[in-house]
């Protein structure tokens, strides 16, 4: 996942940047050994580029020797009370942008913009964020809006992944399965990002239980890990970002479970803090080392 900022040092944005500027950023990823990227709209909003600029971006990515197996939107909830209409329109444009330049999958979620307290915190998950309206009427509306996006995506040959995230309609394994069943579209699956859940400073659903339930419905996967420490006498919880192989989640086991369940999609390595590009590269090599040991013999 591209960890680069959308707003540049001079106050301009990546949208306005030249192809040479894009290439310079992509070269950082190539130098770190990546062959694929998820450009993510925290870096570049391909939905808001003109068609000519989108084609220019695609050519620049190819010239760097990179591929794009998926594109993630971030904090563009179609159920945000203040900006759902804008976010829904944006999501439709993002689907068309993916189809236009050959990106086969788009990742959506119900997470909303960070609150001022979250934006100020060392780690944003230490502060409570927005909570979805879980009334029957609101949830039904959420299902209908994802169905709308899913049908559009199917028409243009794009898959949709729905990202697990706390306090949303996709906050627990069971709520995700029920939501997928209600959406009932073959091109809509789940991104079981249980790192989003493990890092919370509260009681959380065990990652292994989430994996057992969601990996059979997975079509894309953001992977990140955290150290998690719980003090049973006080209820205190502490978490901190960790490389995949060192954190609390056993990703060797999780990846093996995913492969056994039939997952053949892309792994998107993600990390917060420090040199996330290099930690992501370490995570990438860990996955490459683990995969040959968990793929069933043909």
């Amino acid at each position: 996942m591209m960890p680069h900022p959308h707003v540049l040092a001079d106050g301009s944005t990546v949208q306005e940047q030249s192809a040479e500027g894009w290439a310079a950023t992509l070269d950082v990823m190539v130098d770190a050994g990546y062959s694929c990227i998820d450009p993510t709209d925290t870096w570049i909003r391909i939905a808001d580029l003109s068609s000519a600029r989108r084609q220019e971006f695609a050519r620049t990515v190819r010239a760097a020797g990179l591929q794009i197996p998926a594109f993630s939107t971030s904090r563009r909830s179609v159920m945000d009370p203040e900006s759902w209409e804008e976010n829904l329109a944006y999501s439709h444009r993002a689907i068309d942008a993916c189809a236009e330049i050959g990106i086969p999958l788009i990742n959506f979620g119900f997470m909303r913009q960070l609150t001022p307290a979250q934006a100020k915190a060392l780690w944003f998950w230490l502060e409570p964020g927005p909570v979805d309206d879980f009334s029957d009427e609101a949830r039904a509306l959420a299902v209908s809006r994802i169905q709308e996006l899913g049908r559009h995506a199917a028409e243009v040959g794009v898959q949709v992944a729905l990202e697990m995230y706390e306090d949303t309609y996709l906050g627990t394994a069971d709520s995700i399965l029920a939501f997928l069943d209600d959406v009932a579209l073959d091109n809509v699956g789940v991104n079981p990002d249980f790192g989003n859940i493990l890092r919370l400073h509260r009681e959380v659903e065990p990652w292994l239980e989430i994996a057992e339930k969601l990996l059979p419905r997975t079509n894309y996967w953001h992977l990140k890990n955290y150290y998690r420490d719980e003090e049973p006498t006080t209820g205190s919880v502490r978490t901190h970002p960790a490389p995949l192989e060192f954190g609390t989640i056993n990703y060797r086991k999780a990846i093996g479970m995913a492969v056994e369940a039939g997952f053949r999609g892309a792994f998107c390595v993600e990390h917060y803090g420090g040199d996330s590009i290099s930690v992501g590269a370490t995570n990438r090599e860990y996955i490459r080392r683990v995969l040959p040991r968990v793929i069933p013999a043909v």
Side-chain angles (χ1 to χ4, degrees):
M1 180 166 289
M2 294 290 279
H4 308 275
H6 180 68
V7 179
L8 305 173
D10 64 0
S12 64
T13 71
V14 177
Q15 305 298 108
E16 308 161 69
Q17 204 172 20
S18 66
E20 290 76 17
W22 292 337
T25 301
L26 295 172
D27 184 62
V28 174
M29 307 305 288
V30 173
D31 181 67
Y34 293 96
S35 58
C36 296
I37 58 166
D38 178 335
T40 190
D41 64 5
T42 54
W43 177 51
I44 189 167
R45 299 170 186 166
I46 60 172
D48 294 335
L49 293 173
S50 68
S51 180
R53 287 282 277 164
R54 273 197 291 271
Q55 294 297 334
E56 185 178 30
F57 176 70
R59 289 193 299 270
T60 304
V61 171
R62 289 194 298 269
L66 294 165
Q67 298 179 21
I68 304 178
F71 175 71
S72 292
T73 63
S74 179
R75 305 191 179 279
R76 298 274 186 167
S77 173
V78 297
M79 291 299 291
D80 188 314
E82 297 179 359
S83 58
W84 72 266
E85 200 165 10
E86 175 188 346
N87 290 345
L88 183 61
Y90 172 87
S91 298
H92 278 293
R93 295 198 305 275
I95 290 168
D96 285 332
C98 286
E100 181 180 333
I101 61 176
I103 301 174
L105 183 145
I106 187 165
N107 181 80
F108 292 127
F110 287 109
M111 64 286 283
R112 295 185 230 162
Q113 295 298 316
L114 299 177
T115 66
Q118 286 181 307
K120 187 177 180 180
L122 173 61
W123 306 116
F124 65 82
W125 55 87
L126 300 182
E127 294 287 345
V131 178
D132 277 342
D133 176 355
F134 290 99
S135 67
D136 291 344
E137 295 80 7
R139 185 184 175 282
L141 185 58
V143 168
S144 70
R145 288 176 182 166
I146 294 300
Q147 286 176 324
E148 177 184 330
L149 293 174
R151 293 188 183 108
H152 176 189
E155 290 171 1
V156 295
V158 172
Q159 288 191 61
V160 171
L162 301 178
E163 182 173 348
M164 186 174 205
Y165 199 88
E166 77 271 8
D167 300 327
T168 73
Y169 306 110
L170 309 173
T172 68
D174 287 342
S175 70
I176 290 172
L177 292 177
F179 197 91
L180 287 176
D181 288 343
D182 289 345
V183 170
L185 294 174
D186 290 340
N187 68 317
V188 178
V190 62
N191 166 10
D193 190 349
F194 35 71
N196 286 340
I197 306 303
L198 183 82
R199 68 191 178 195
L200 301 175
H201 284 203
R202 54 169 122 153
E203 184 178 353
V204 296
E205 190 174 6
W207 71 265
L208 186 57
E209 294 181 14
I210 297 172
E212 288 171 343
K213 292 177 179 180
L214 295 188
L215 289 174
R217 306 285 292 272
T218 295
N219 59 353
Y220 188 46
W221 194 0
H222 290 176
L223 291 82
K224 53 183 177 285
N225 211 346
Y226 295 85
Y227 300 108
R228 181 178 176 90
D229 183 55
E230 302 177 0
E231 173 50 60
T233 59
T234 64
S236 173
V237 177
R238 293 290 182 268
T239 63
H240 191 278
L244 286 188
E245 61 188 306
F246 298 134
T248 299
I249 298 167
N250 180 353
Y251 271 104
R252 182 184 296 271
K253 182 175 182 65
I255 291 170
M257 293 170 64
V259 172
E260 186 175 1
F263 176 62
R264 296 297 184 271
F267 298 98
C268 179
V269 293
E270 187 181 5
H271 185 79
Y272 288 97
D275 182 358
S276 58
I277 295 172
S278 292
V279 177
T282 298
N283 292 342
R284 181 195 66 228
E285 295 312 308
Y286 168 74
I287 295 171
R288 287 177 173 170
R289 192 170 73 246
V290 166
L291 268 177
R293 301 291 183 266
V294 299
I295 295 176
V298 177

